[in-house]
Amino acid sequence: MTTATPPRPGGLGLFWAVTFATTWTCWLGAIAIGGTPTSFPTAVPYLLGGFGPVFGAIAVRLRRTRRLEPVPAHTVPVRQGSRLLWALPLLALAVATVAGAAVLADLLDGPAIDLTEGRDLVATAGGPAPFLISMLIAGPLAEEPGWRGTAYPRLRATMNRLQTGLVLGAAWAVWHLPLFFITGTVQNELGLVSWSGLLFSLSVFPMALLTGYAYEVAGVVASIAVHFGVNTTMALLNVRSPATQAAVLAVQITVTAVLLASRRNRPATGLPAQAGRRDRELGGIR
């Protein structure tokens, strides 16, 4: 007597197609229009493009619901409210990886920490509250329900944590490419063919691993917290120099290596695959 093998969760192809088609169409449109991300009408396709992973997630969820497909086994559901409390220490850890690396670079005769441009950025946004809200929406909320809430559990069905993080990191790096050609973006200021541009592209790999770890611990809320913590601290400290970027990369690689090793032998935290399951799921679109 043989046991039937549960079907592999589908939707990855649809997710990649919708995510990249939506984002790149919008961002290539912004490039064609010209102008900066804060000027009209460039701001419209620029902002919509950032939500490509969410659009991809929605498309996958609609198809899964229509076909009564199973929830992927590695989806992180709401089981206990206390799990959400992990988002706070993970947020602090994310901030520490950037701030600690900036201090390390300073101590090694790299660029000194300067909050002047960070304060100007907050003032330009209209104050701390608008700044923090904009940092939460642009990136964490626009991307994490897709990258971690949708693609991650499907990749984990056939890959380990390291492989999943590396695949998502590669996709994430390619997804960002049009931003190097939109005047006024951080990526455009760094330059595609430069040490800073290369280090930015490499930095998404430990970020993918760190947010993936957070997702497995406490779901999309935690991955959003990590993404938010890193982006906000990078912006406030104006991390642009290759020396500081390299320090951040080294620190985050070290931290993720330790975190992944600590979970090496732990069982997956996801749900068993069950067709048509409609349980509440943590902060994402599955």
Side-chain angles (χ1 to χ4, degrees), residues 169 172-173 176 190 196-210 230-231 234 245-246 248-250 252-253 256:
W172 210 2
H176 279 97
L190 294 176
S196 292
L198 174 62
L199 287 167
F200 171 84
S201 296
L202 291 176
S203 71
V204 300
F205 287 92
M207 268 291 288
L209 292 167
L210 188 57
V230 170
N231 281 11
M234 294 276 282
Q245 285 181 295
V248 172
L249 182 63
Q252 290 188 339
I253 288 174
T256 54

Side-chain angles (χ1 to χ4, degrees), residues 16 20 147-148 152 155 161-176 200-209 211:
W16 298 131
F20 277 86
W147 299 129
R148 254 55 64 179
Y152 189 92
L155 289 170
R161 294 182 182 93
L162 176 61
Q163 293 168 336
T164 299
L166 293 178
V167 169
L168 276 178
W172 210 2
V174 174
W175 180 80
H176 279 97
F200 171 84
S201 296
L202 291 176
S203 71
V204 300
F205 287 92
M207 268 291 288
L209 292 167
T211 49

Side-chain angles (χ1 to χ4, degrees), residues 68-79:
L68 298 179
E69 292 177 343
V71 175
H74 290 270
T75 293
V76 180
V78 172
R79 287 183 175 175

